[in-house]
């Protein structure tokens, strides 16, 4: 069975991240001849000494001109074992928001470290964002090993330094691979140049890492997304609640409770186009048919009687700010959480987090673009939520500027705020 | 019990979520349907998302007038089966009313942009589902699932809204609209595996057949009302199929003996040329041809 793995990459401008992705695509034969000819042409015209695989991912005119990655680019490749979706995010300081975007859906993060430069401030920042966004698996690629003579000591030193830093973060699975993206060492095949390295190649690692168990299969959560009422003669009384299972496993016959009403009922059937199913689990899109005729609408939450989400209007959250105008206490914004939309007031900015030192700046008065901080929010209607660390789907929200309609903040819920 | 979805079912679940989200949050969505394989898959996913009710929005075909007959017949049949309303926006009408002028060579791909934007505003559509995939083209690789367009239908790649988790921002002002790409994360191979897996009917031109063609710019173009041999081009019969379906004047066929869906899956899995590289003259103009067209409001 072929599975889907979403991965996010991060690295500094010159770490060779785009080259690594180009290499993964090239060596797994996902680069097509016309694409290769096209980048060969461009590389030649620019006078590059070798084919610049970064051109495969840097698609926008401005990126090619400046030789940088501006926005999150999505890339796809597949092996017989897995289909991979890569969110390739730029590593520069000012693009934290793109990294957070790419990381939000990732099962695994690849962080690139230049073997010559060691663990830089940027590497720390990437690791921190990966842990903040709760990416379950972190793979550190120590790149450009060819430029340090494939020296095992260099690799070990970087590994120790990175581990020491990661101890301060909430990282559950951390692995290291010494590579040369340019030459392909340890990317798809194990390299003959580093006999001292006993681990698998990067691709092998990506194929084998176990991700199915990362999803929350314990807390039954079903945010109602859309009410299906056909109003046709064939399905006269049909009323189904469509949505994505955000947690737990639902089965026909299960007792459930609907929030905010608190009414209890049972699941009569779980419908899909191809026929009813016996079980629904994350991230399936299904339609629940309930035994009783209740008043249920979009934004309601179906959960289990003895395991319900927290209900409340006051939440404590980490927010990554993504707009040019700063966030301050007193700001009013639109909020979208699961399938609920409401308005939110920033009651308090508790602190700003210096993402390089992890130091809390307690007297911060605002969050500017690309800063991360802890806020207390009050919402106009109750939210049905879990801590982000327990459930990424019911613990996350976005903030929207009501004037510009832009998405300006990404939030991760810590719990209720006093 | 292992709670895992196959890659195709995970993609399907994601697309269905997108369809439902749009239906819940927009006033007037529309699904852009060309009769091509991507829009066929899109239509099937929409059918799945709302079953047992009908798809709660109309389907729009931006008609270049340069069609393959098989594709139009397929479109009408599918629309009738699903009981959805079909809106046809005609490029010919845009030419006749002077909104656009025919380009030298007669290619109408670029002209579609005006017809599309006019139709969106005439009908007041605020969301338009498109079948574009990020693996198709390098500018598309940077595009969001919800792609915001201003009053002029323009895409601003450097100023896109961040898109996090599965929380989509549908807010827009009157006159603005959002393009929705539910197949963003699908590849050409995923599309064909899904079509084969579901046993979805497709227009016959996707399967190998014998046709008279000419070789032009390294592509095989079918001779007919839209393409006549020029200069010393010698028409010849070949066993071909189409990998993409677009304006008949600039969509090339590929040599193929694939007569079943499984043959196509095997062929696509082994191919070394991208579908656009093999079949689209319009993307060959420059390194950033697609980015430039998208900025103007193209699909």
């Amino acid at each position: 069975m072929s599975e889907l793995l979403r991965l996010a990459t991060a690295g500094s401008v010159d770490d060779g991240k785009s080259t690594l992705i180009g290499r993964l695509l090239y060596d797994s034969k996902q680069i097509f001849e016309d694409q290769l000819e096209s980048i060969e042409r461009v590389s030649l015209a620019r006078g590059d000494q070798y084919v610049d695989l970064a051109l495969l991912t840097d698609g926008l005119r401005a990126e090619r001109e400046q030789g940088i990655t501006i926005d999150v680019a999505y890339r796809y490749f597949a092996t017989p074992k897995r289909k991979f979706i890569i969110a390739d995010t730029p590593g520069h300081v000012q693009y934290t928001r793109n990294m957070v975007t790419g990381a939000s859906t990732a099962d695994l993060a690849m962080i690139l470290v230049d073997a010559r430069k060691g663990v830089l401030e940027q590497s720390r920042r990437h690791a921190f964002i990966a842990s903040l966004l709760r990416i379950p698996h972190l793979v550190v690629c120590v790149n450009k090993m060819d430029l340090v003579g494939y020296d095992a000591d260099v690799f070990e030193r970087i590994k120790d330094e990175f581990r020491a830093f990661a101890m301060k973060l909430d990282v559950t699975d951390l692995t290291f691979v010494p590579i040369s993206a340019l030459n392909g060492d340890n990317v798809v095949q194990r390299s003959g140049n580093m006999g001292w390295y006993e681990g698998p190649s990067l691709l092998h690692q990506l194929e084998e890492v176990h991700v199915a168990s990362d999803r929350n299969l314990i807390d039954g959560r079903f945010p109602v997304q859309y009410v299906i009422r056909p109003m046709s003669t064939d399905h006269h009384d049909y009323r189904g609640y469509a949505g994505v299972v955000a947690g737990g496993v639902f089965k026909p016959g299960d007792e459930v409770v609907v929030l905010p009403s608190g009414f209890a009922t049972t699941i009569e059937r779980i419908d899909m186009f191809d026929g009813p199913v016996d079980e629904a689990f994350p991230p399936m899109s299904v339609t629940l048919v309930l035994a009783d005729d209740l008043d249920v609408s979009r934004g309601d939450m179906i959960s289990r009687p003895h395991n319900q989400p927290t209900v409340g209007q006051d939440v404590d959250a980490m927010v990554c700010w993504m707009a040019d105008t700063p966030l301050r206490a007193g700001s009013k914004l639109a909020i979208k959480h699961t399938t609920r939309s409401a308005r939110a007031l920033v009651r308090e900015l508790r602190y700003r987090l210096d993402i390089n030192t992890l130091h809390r700046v307690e007297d911060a008065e605002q969050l500017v673009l690309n800063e991360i901080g802890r806020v207390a929010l009050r919402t106009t209607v109750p939210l049905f939520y879990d801590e982000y660390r327990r459930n990424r789907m019911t613990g996350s929200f976005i903030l929207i500027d009501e004037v510009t309609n832009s998405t300006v903040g990404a939030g991760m819920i810590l719990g209720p705020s006093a | 019990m292992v709670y895992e979805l196959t890659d195709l079912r995970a993609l399907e679940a994601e697309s269905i979520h997108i369809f439902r989200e749009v239906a819940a949050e927009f006033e007037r969505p529309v699904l852009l349907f060309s009769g091509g394989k991507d829009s066929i898959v899109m239509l099937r996913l929409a059918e799945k998302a709302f079953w047992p009710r009908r798809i709660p929005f109309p389907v729009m075909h931006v008609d270049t007038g340069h069609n393959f007959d098989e594709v139009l017949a397929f479109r009408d049949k599918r629309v009738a089966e699903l009981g959805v309303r079909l809106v046809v926006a005609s490029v010919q009408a845009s030419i006749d009313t002077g909104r656009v002028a025919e380009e030298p060579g007669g290619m109408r791909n670029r002209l579609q942009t005006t017809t599309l934007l006019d139709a969106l505003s005439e009908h007041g559509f605020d969301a338009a589902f498109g079948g574009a995939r990020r693996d198709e083209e390098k500018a598309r690789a940077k595009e969001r699932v919800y792609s915001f367009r201003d009053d002029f239908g323009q895409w601003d790649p450097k100023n896109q809204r961040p898109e996090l988790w599965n929380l989509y921002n549908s807010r827009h002002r009157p006159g603005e609209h959002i393009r929705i790409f539910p197949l963003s994360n699908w590849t050409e191979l995923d599309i064909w595996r899904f079509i084969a897996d579901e046993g979805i009917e497709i227009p016959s031109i996707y399967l190998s057949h014998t046709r008279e063609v000419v070789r032009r710019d390294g592509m095989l173009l079918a001779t007919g009302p839209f393409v006549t041999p020029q200069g010393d081009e010698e028409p010849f019969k070949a066993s071909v199929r189409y990998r993409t379906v677009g304006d008949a004047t600039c969509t090339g066929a590929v040599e193929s003996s694939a007569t079943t869906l499984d043959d196509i899956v095997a062929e696509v899995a082994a191919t070394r040329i991208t579908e656009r590289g093999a079949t689209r003259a319009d993307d060959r103009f420059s390194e950033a041809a697609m980015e430039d067209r998208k900025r103007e409001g193209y699909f």
Side-chain angles (χ1 to χ4, degrees):
Chain A
M1 184 175 101
S2 176
E3 272 183 299
L4 193 60
L5 183 93
R6 294 173 199 259
L7 59 105
T9 57
S12 317
V13 186
D14 301 317
D15 283 344
K17 175 172 49 77
S18 296
T19 310
L20 173 62
I21 292 172
R23 174 59 64 185
L24 275 171
L25 300 180
Y26 185 75
D27 285 0
S28 60
K29 311 224 177 339
Q30 300 286 324
I31 289 182
F32 297 93
E33 284 167 18
D34 54 318
Q35 287 177 317
L36 195 61
E37 277 168 24
S38 152
I39 64 167
E40 274 169 357
R41 226 171 28 237
V42 175
S43 286
L44 194 68
R46 290 201 315 205
D48 296 343
Q49 287 184 345
Y50 50 86
V51 175
D52 186 359
L53 291 175
L55 289 171
L56 284 167
T57 56
D58 295 337
L60 299 174
R61 192 188 288 282
E63 293 177 315
R64 290 171 169 245
E65 284 165 4
Q66 297 168 42
I68 56 160
T69 309
I70 289 174
D71 206 298
V72 186
Y74 292 89
R75 293 289 150 190
Y76 304 85
F77 72 103
T79 66
K81 285 196 172 149
R82 273 188 174 153
K83 172 186 163 95
F84 297 93
I85 300 179
I86 307 178
D88 179 18
T89 67
H92 348 195
V93 188
Q94 68 269 38
Y95 286 114
T96 300
R97 73 172 214 170
N98 287 330
M99 214 178 328
V100 169
T101 301
S104 69
T105 52
D107 303 304
L108 182 147
M110 279 194 321
I111 294 182
L112 268 90
V113 174
D114 185 329
R116 295 167 306 171
K117 297 178 186 160
V119 183
L120 300 178
E121 203 170 274
Q122 283 204 62
S123 332
R124 295 174 206 273
R125 188 159 58 231
H126 298 156
F128 168 69
I129 288 172
S131 79
L132 180 74
L133 274 288
R134 308 283 317 160
I135 300 180
H137 310 275
L138 209 58
V139 177
V140 179
C141 302
V142 181
N143 191 23
K144 307 196 183 182
M145 287 301 291
D146 53 321
L147 299 182
V148 296
Y150 298 109
D151 184 349
D153 291 342
V154 172
F155 177 66
E156 290 302 325
R157 204 158 54 234
I158 289 172
K159 207 164 133 179
D160 290 345
E161 195 185 342
F162 202 101
R163 268 195 202 288
F165 173 72
M167 294 275 279
K168 292 187 251 174
L169 306 172
D170 215 349
V171 179
T172 42
D173 179 28
L174 178 63
T175 47
F176 298 84
V177 191
I179 62 166
S180 163
L182 191 61
N183 300 330
D185 294 293
N186 285 336
V187 177
V188 170
Q189 303 290 341
R190 291 218 16 213
S191 165
N193 291 325
M194 288 174 274
W196 46 265
Y197 171 68
E198 290 174 349
S201 73
L202 174 62
L203 183 64
H204 186 80
Q205 191 124 298
L206 299 180
E207 284 184 316
E208 295 300 326
V209 62
H210 192 63
V211 291
S213 56
D214 297 334
R215 303 190 187 282
N216 182 324
L217 296 171
I218 297 160
D219 312 313
R221 301 286 184 266
F222 188 83
V224 176
Q225 188 187 10
Y226 188 84
V227 181
I228 295 181
R229 291 180 60 212
M231 294 178 286
S232 64
T233 40
D234 290 353
H235 302 278
H236 196 71
D237 295 321
Y238 189 95
R239 201 180 166 86
Y241 304 106
V244 172
V245 180
V249 180
F250 289 93
K251 299 185 174 91
D254 278 353
E255 279 185 49
V256 291
V257 60
V258 182
L259 297 171
S261 69
F263 286 127
T265 180
T266 55
I267 296 176
E268 186 174 294
R269 212 171 57 247
I270 302 174
D271 273 343
M272 290 182 77
F273 176 82
D274 301 293
V277 293
D278 296 334
E279 293 180 298
F281 52 89
M284 286 170 75
S285 276
V286 298
T287 302
L288 301 185
V289 177
L290 303 179
D292 296 290
D293 222 355
L294 303 175
D295 177 16
V296 181
S297 49
R298 175 176 165 85
D300 289 1
M301 173 75 87
I302 296 174
S303 69
R304 307 297 301 274
H306 301 294
N307 178 346
Q308 298 188 25
T310 310
V311 180
Q313 288 174 256
D314 290 287
V315 295
D316 196 11
M318 296 303 294
V319 165
C320 173
W321 193 246
M322 302 174 153
D324 292 324
T325 45
L327 172 94
R328 291 196 176 90
S331 297
K332 284 183 184 140
L333 299 144
I335 183 170
K336 188 169 180 185
H337 170 259
T338 67
T339 55
R340 283 212 132 192
S341 291
R343 299 182 71 209
L345 165 71
V346 180
R347 284 178 43 222
E348 191 188 343
L349 173 58
R350 296 187 192 271
Y351 56 80
R352 178 172 69 76
L353 199 65
D354 182 320
I355 56 175
N356 297 316
T357 60
L358 303 187
H359 175 71
R360 294 174 180 183
V361 183
E362 309 271 354
D363 57 355
E365 286 182 356
Q366 59 180 34
L367 290 184
V368 301
L369 179 66
N370 290 313
E371 287 186 338
I372 292 168
R374 183 169 171 176
V375 300
L377 296 178
R378 179 161 181 87
T379 56
T380 47
V381 297
L383 304 181
F384 316 122
Y385 64 87
D386 296 285
E387 285 173 42
Y388 183 77
R389 53 173 298 130
R390 188 152 178 98
N391 189 320
R392 287 168 89 184
M393 282 208 252
T394 57
S396 55
F397 60 82
I398 56 171
L399 297 170
I400 299 165
D401 184 306
E402 292 181 298
V403 177
T404 64
N405 287 335
S406 293
T407 305
V408 291
M412 289 139 281
I413 297 174
L414 297 165
S417 74
Chain B
M1 176 68 200
V2 184
Y3 295 106
E4 282 175 56
L5 293 180
T6 63
D7 55 353
L8 277 186
R9 296 304 146 194
L11 289 172
E12 176 187 289
E14 177 182 81
S15 301
I16 287 177
H17 171 257
I18 294 163
F19 273 111
R20 289 170 172 169
E21 200 61 15
V22 171
E25 292 207 319
F26 287 83
E27 294 281 324
R28 293 174 75 84
V30 66
L31 185 148
L32 301 176
F33 185 75
S34 66
K37 63 183 187 313
D38 303 309
S39 57
I40 291 170
V41 167
M42 206 166 48
L43 201 55
R44 162 58 65 100
L45 291 166
E47 184 184 11
K48 287 190 154 193
F50 302 104
W51 182 90
R53 72 158 286 173
R54 281 183 185 174
I55 296 172
F57 38 77
V59 159
M60 181 158 82
H61 180 208
V62 178
D63 181 0
T64 58
H66 295 166
N67 297 300
F68 295 92
D69 293 340
E70 296 91 333
V71 175
L72 281 191
F74 179 87
R75 176 197 78 185
D76 293 339
K77 176 168 170 282
R78 194 72 186 110
V79 160
E81 278 168 5
L82 292 169
V84 291
R85 185 162 71 91
L86 173 69
V87 177
V88 177
S90 156
V91 173
Q92 187 61 50
S94 302
I95 294 170
D96 295 344
T97 54
R99 291 283 294 136
V100 291
E102 194 91 75
E103 290 187 354
M107 243 186 255
R108 289 180 169 180
N109 247 9
R110 190 165 195 149
L111 305 186
Q112 289 181 92
T113 302
T114 302
T115 309
L116 169 65
L117 294 176
D118 286 354
L120 291 175
S121 98
E122 180 195 332
H123 295 276
F125 293 130
D126 57 356
F129 292 102
R133 307 186 322 266
R134 287 174 180 149
D135 79 318
E136 272 180 87
E137 208 284 329
K138 50 196 179 293
R140 286 192 164 162
K142 303 262 161 171
E143 191 153 21
R144 304 288 191 256
V145 172
Y146 275 39
S147 180
F148 176 79
R149 303 306 166 100
D150 65 12
D151 290 325
F152 301 95
Q154 297 182 105
W155 179 54
D156 181 0
K158 280 173 105 168
N159 192 22
Q160 300 191 77
R161 293 176 178 177
E163 204 159 75
L164 299 122
W165 298 289
N166 63 353
L167 298 171
Y168 299 103
N169 176 357
S170 60
R171 292 174 68 112
H172 59 281
R173 282 185 275 254
E176 300 169 339
H177 73 277
I178 297 183
R179 299 284 173 85
I180 315 284
F181 300 112
L183 304 179
S184 288
N185 288 326
W186 297 57
T187 61
E188 184 189 14
L189 185 57
D190 296 330
I191 293 288
W192 283 114
R193 285 168 59 216
F194 186 74
I195 289 172
D197 212 44
E198 299 261 310
I200 300 173
E201 205 191 322
I202 49 166
S204 53
I205 63 168
Y206 277 115
L207 296 167
S208 175
H209 55 285
T210 305
R211 188 180 276 268
E212 189 183 86
V213 294
V214 294
R215 196 175 291 278
R216 185 179 297 167
D217 303 332
M219 295 191 309
L220 298 178
L221 295 177
T223 57
F226 311 115
V227 176
T228 47
Q230 292 169 7
D232 55 359
E233 287 175 352
E234 275 297 326
F236 60 101
K237 297 245 179 191
S239 173
V240 298
R241 71 176 201 86
Y242 284 85
R243 273 178 82 184
T244 65
V245 168
D247 183 326
T249 60
C250 65
T251 302
V254 293
E255 281 178 274
S256 170
S257 56
T259 52
T260 65
L261 291 173
D262 288 339
D263 291 346
I264 294 180
V265 170
E267 187 184 285
V268 171
T271 187
R272 305 300 311 134
I273 309 274
T274 63
E275 57 180 342
R276 288 201 161 259
T279 66
R280 290 299 179 91
D282 50 330
D283 286 336
R284 297 184 166 192
F285 292 132
S286 80
E287 272 303 301
M290 176 65 94
E291 180 183 343
D292 294 341
R293 268 184 291 142
K294 287 191 78 68
R295 282 173 180 274
E296 292 168 3
Y298 188 70
F299 296 103

